[in-house]
Amino acid sequence: MPAPTPTFARRPLMSSPLSLVLVAVPTVVLACQAGGWAARRLGQPPVIGEMAVGILLGPSLLGWLAPSVQHTLLPPAVLPYTSVLGNVALLAFLFLVGLELDFHSLRTTRRAVASVAAGSILLPLGLGAGLAVLMYPALAPPGVQRLPFVLFVATALSITAFPVLARILTDRGLATTRLGAFALACAATDDALAWCLLIAVTALATAGSPLDALTALALTAALTAALAAARPLVKQALERAARTSEDLVTVLLVAGLLLAAYATDRIGVHPAFGAFLFGATVPRGLPAVERSAARLQAVFVPVLLPLFFVDTGLHTDLAHLPAGQWGWAALVLAVAVTSKWVGAAGAARLAGCDWRWSALMGTLMNCRGITEIVVLGIGLQLGVITPNLFTIMVLMAVVTTAATAPLLDRLTRGAPDLTTRVPTAEPLTTQTGTPGATR
């Protein structure tokens, strides 16, 4: 009697989820690496190329030109698995963003930093709310109330991408200059305020009643307070773990960010906020933590985060955006750019900065990058915005981010005082004098 054929030998080719993932992941990762390399060659941050590739692998190009190829590389059966992997990478990325934000320095920022940050977020909020009221009849999802829609669009237009801005300034050797330190302080303040607003909007959008929204906000505030109170205990635990093994530090950080994400998910707020809050809780300056964060950065960001970009790109369909909505796209871009530029540059000018410095602040605060994509993805998952509006705002995010680097190069050309490194190790916020002050 012949021996039975092994089960795996009878399995149809590419039928198991693992087989599909084994093709989809390297396809996405290699394509995004190629996009990042091309972006560097054009003087752009790699994330621009990765975002663009994520869009091109979706219905905007590959699904339009060669749907059979897209179906082979990214079949519908594999998308739930790649989406989960991409969202786990997103949690790790937001943990790293929270870890990079120095909230102690935000409490000691000078008046000019606070003014620019406030201007760069308040004017986009106001103009964005007005634009959202106009868009509501045409672009709001059925059944979504006006208030959550308006607040979400306004908040989304007020975002500045702290991580991408830091990368642009670092690539140009400006991160340690007065300009770079000032801009990063403004962006960090902007990001902190925007995330607080987004938590409130998310609670309002997911709650069944105003009481549910207030409950979610209260629980989120309680979680934030608990994490802040536990900061000394977290520091002590990490220091003790570092004496045992740095691998244990990495395990504790990953476990902490996932559990914090689970907590906010159970509260009714997006898991991304939990990961961000935990990152803000972890003490800065511990060598073992810095090395563990570098490990997470080296694995999650280049390998798994591109899966999030592709998941975003699959919901971005430029090829089939109705012709009548391209006018909305132009209006969204105009309001986003103008409100950010005027808000930041005007506030800098009122704070005593010269025109070149003020123009640079308006340009740099317009960088939206991956943070904007994350926020828009949250809105799409919550059903607050439609796929068409998601496409419109993703296009706005890509354009504003791509414009940042060349405009920065042009505005700093012939201005050595802006590109000179700060001669002291002290943070910008402790130094005297207003940066870029009119003499």
Side-chain angles (χ1 to χ4, degrees), residues 336-346 355 358-363 366 411:
V337 172
T338 303
S339 62
K340 267 288 186 182
W341 198 93
V342 173
W355 280 112
S358 300
L360 280 163
M361 288 303 107
T363 300
N366 253 306
L411 288 170

Side-chain angles (χ1 to χ4, degrees), residues 111-121 182 186 190 343-345 347-349 351 353 357 361 365:
R111 187 175 301 173
V113 173
S115 298
V116 173
S120 71
I121 198 169
F182 187 83
C186 294
D190 193 311
R349 186 63 180 158
C353 300
W357 187 282
M361 288 303 107
M365 291 301 103

Side-chain angles (χ1 to χ4, degrees), residues 65-76:
L65 295 178
S68 60
V69 175
Q70 187 201 42
H71 190 276
T72 300
L73 298 176
L74 296 168

Side-chain angles (χ1 to χ4, degrees), residues 5-30:
T5 305
T7 303
F8 65 83
R10 295 196 305 267
R11 182 181 298 163
L13 184 63
M14 295 297 291
S15 64
S16 72
L18 179 59
S19 299
L20 298 174
V21 169
L22 292 179
V23 171
V25 171
T27 298
V28 170
V29 171
L30 293 174

Side-chain angles (χ1 to χ4, degrees), residues 132-428:
V133 170
L134 295 177
M135 292 194 298
Y136 180 77
L139 293 174
V144 171
Q145 296 181 355
R146 184 187 301 268
L147 183 59
F149 177 81
V150 170
L151 291 178
F152 180 84
V153 171
T155 303
L157 290 181
S158 67
I159 294 293
T160 294
F162 174 81
V164 177
L165 182 58
R167 180 62 182 268
I168 292 174
L169 292 170
T170 301
D171 287 346
R172 280 154 179 76
L174 297 175
T176 55
T177 64
R178 283 184 166 301
L179 172 66
F182 187 83
L184 289 176
C186 294
T189 308
D190 193 311
D191 256 13
L193 293 173
W195 281 108
C196 291
L197 288 171
L198 197 58
I199 289 173
V201 174
T202 303
L204 183 64
T206 56
S209 66
L211 180 60
D212 292 338
L214 290 175
T215 302
L217 286 174
L219 290 173
T220 304
L223 176 63
T224 304
L227 289 173
R231 189 181 176 94
L233 297 177
V234 172
K235 181 178 181 180
Q236 185 179 7
L238 291 172
E239 288 175 338
R240 186 174 300 174
R243 290 193 291 268
T244 302
S245 168
E246 285 198 1
D247 290 341
L248 181 57
V249 175
T250 304
V251 169
L252 290 177
L253 293 179
V254 173
L257 75 91
L258 293 178
L259 290 174
Y262 175 77
T264 52
D265 184 52
R266 295 297 297 170
I267 287 172
V269 182
H270 198 277
F273 301 119
F276 174 80
L277 291 174
F278 182 72
T281 299
V282 173
R284 295 166 53 92
L286 297 178
V289 171
E290 300 295 336
R291 287 190 289 268
S292 294
R295 291 182 185 179
L296 298 180
Q297 175 94 15
V299 174
F300 282 101
V301 174
V303 177
L304 294 181
L305 194 58
L307 297 174
F308 174 77
F309 291 137
V310 169
D311 190 51
T312 299
L314 293 174
H315 294 94
T316 305
D317 192 355
L318 296 173
H320 294 92
L321 190 67
Q325 293 187 2
W326 280 101
W328 285 115
L331 187 57
V332 166
L333 180 61
V335 170
V337 172
T338 303
S339 62
K340 267 288 186 182
W341 198 93
V342 173
R349 186 63 180 158
L350 290 175
C353 300
D354 60 33
W355 280 112
R356 187 195 291 261
W357 187 282
S358 300
L360 280 163
M361 288 303 107
T363 300
L364 294 173
M365 291 301 103
N366 253 306
C367 180
R368 288 174 169 86
I370 185 176
T371 308
E372 182 74 36
I373 302 297
V374 170
V375 170
L376 296 177
I378 291 173
L380 188 64
Q381 291 176 12
L382 296 176
V384 181
I385 57 176
T386 61
N388 282 345
L389 181 54
F390 176 81
T391 297
I392 288 171
M393 298 193 74
V394 165
L395 181 62
M396 176 271 294
V398 172
V399 171
T400 54
T401 308
T404 301
L407 289 175
L408 173 64
D409 293 340
R410 185 175 183 85
L411 288 170
T412 55
R413 190 177 303 156
D417 57 316
L418 295 178
T419 57
T420 302
R421 292 189 177 186
V422 177
T424 174
E426 294 181 3
L428 176 77

Side-chain angles (χ1 to χ4, degrees), residues 96-109 162 184-185 187-189 192 231 276 279-280 282-285 427-429:
L96 294 170
V97 171
L99 186 64
E100 289 177 2
L101 288 179
D102 188 355
F103 288 95
H104 176 71
S105 69
L106 297 188
R107 291 195 297 268
T108 59
T109 49
F162 174 81
L184 289 176
T189 308
R231 189 181 176 94
F276 174 80
V282 173
R284 295 166 53 92
L428 176 77
T429 54

